[in-house]
Amino acid sequence: MRFLLDDEQREFARSLDAMLTASDTPAVVRAWAAGDHGPGRSLWARLAQAGVFALAIPEAYEGVGPRPVELAVAFTELGRHAVPGPVVETVAAGVLLEGVGGAVAKEWLPRLASGAASVTLRTDGYGPYALDADAVDAVFTVTGDELRLAPGPGVLSVSSDPARRLWCPEPGGDLPASGPRVAEAAARAARWAAFATAAQALGTGEALLRATVAYVKQRTQFGTAIGSFQAVKHRLADVLIGLEFARPLLYGAALALAGDAPGAGAEVAAAKVAAGEAGYAAARAALQLHGAVGYTQELDLSLWLRKARPLRDAWGAPGACRARVLADGPAAPAARPPVSEGFAQ
């Protein structure tokens, strides 16, 4: 099945690409990794003005969502430009709080939609860490059927990506909500987090492939550009095929989420494993084909290389995603919304 974005969605992608290109995101990522969150927060404010964080929040809470197709477009661009920070977790927290409802939703959702606040999230089943807990206004944690506001960021752990700072939140804190509704909302939020992470991984892989193609056209060996060697062509072709295979799975998951289809979890898991593995394969090819220069931190390429594996494993490692697909299977075609919904014919 071939998915085509409509004119408005393509223009949204172009506008985000132009804004992020002008924002010097490599400098923002390096500042974030060093603990300077100012440039990153300024970038988040511009993303909020573009409507990115409102895409998963209903109009009742001053959002424009849920709009998973546009969310896939946006987060692919965020991955392509290596935007740092808990952007996925902020969106997932919005889904969680909307499902919980009540005073906590009324307090936080309009602020998340407008970019006035940023949060991070940790839920059962996805590790003990909250991403960038020191850089946000609140840390939400879900344990069982309890939603809590952590009293502090907690203990910093080691990450393979310096711009993805992992914190183990402090226990306890305020208890805004509890009960079965919290557990149900947390499961839905995790699906949206996996979906947004898949889009990020796809964008990261695309950026790595683009940089590697440009490099192999310039680097010469035996007086010839290495991009002309068959082995190099085949390696990059494999990367491209992986990314192009993941793209329709991502948009298929978007349609399943839009229609709240019974098999949406399996569709998201399929997209997550495909995009995560494709992005990681792009990183491995980029590192090998750049040679020794690929190992240097001074090269901007390293900012994308370090993200590929964490994105592959965040919010659903490949093994867990494959198990989910095998257990639940894809949504029945009749349960999906029409293909034209959110896409051009």
Side-chain angles (χ1 to χ4, degrees), residues 262-291:
E267 299 251 8
V268 170
K272 177 64 170 58
V273 69
E277 294 284 29
Y280 184 52
R284 294 181 65 180
L287 184 61
Q288 181 182 22
L289 294 177
H290 275 78

Side-chain angles (χ1 to χ4, degrees), residues 7 13 51 53 75 94 99-100 123-124 137 139 147 191 194 204 239 242-243 250 256 261 274 280 300 316 336 340:
D7 291 341
F53 300 117
F75 274 75
V100 170
T123 68
D124 282 345
D137 298 295
V139 179
L147 170 65
R191 284 197 296 274
T204 299
V239 171
L243 294 169
L250 180 67
Y280 184 52
D300 284 349
R336 291 182 177 178
S340 60

Side-chain angles (χ1 to χ4, degrees), residues 247-306:
R247 192 185 316 279
L249 291 177
L250 180 67
Y251 288 132
L255 293 180
L257 286 176
D260 204 18
E267 299 251 8
V268 170
K272 177 64 170 58
V273 69
E277 294 284 29
Y280 184 52
R284 294 181 65 180
L287 184 61
Q288 181 182 22
L289 294 177
H290 275 78
V293 71
Y295 287 88
T296 62
Q297 295 187 24
E298 292 77 12
L299 188 69
D300 284 349
L301 183 79
S302 67
L303 305 179
W304 281 264
L305 286 173
R306 289 174 176 268

Side-chain angles (χ1 to χ4, degrees), residues 162-180:
R164 290 179 60 85
R165 296 163 61 84
L166 302 177
W167 296 79
C168 188
E170 295 179 10
D174 294 339
L175 181 67
S178 62

Side-chain angles (χ1 to χ4, degrees), residues 198-270:
Q200 269 192 314
L202 178 63
T204 299
E206 290 176 348
L208 287 164
L209 177 60
R210 183 183 303 173
T212 306
V213 169
Y215 182 74
V216 299
K217 289 179 179 179
Q218 298 173 358
R219 181 185 171 192
T220 60
Q221 193 171 18
F222 310 116
T224 304
I226 66 171
S228 65
F229 299 160
Q230 286 295 320
V232 173
K233 290 180 178 180
H234 292 167
R235 183 71 183 273
L236 293 176
D238 288 342
V239 171
L240 177 61
I241 289 170
L243 294 169
E244 290 304 313
F245 178 75
R247 192 185 316 279
L249 291 177
L250 180 67
Y251 288 132
L255 293 180
L257 286 176
D260 204 18
E267 299 251 8
V268 170

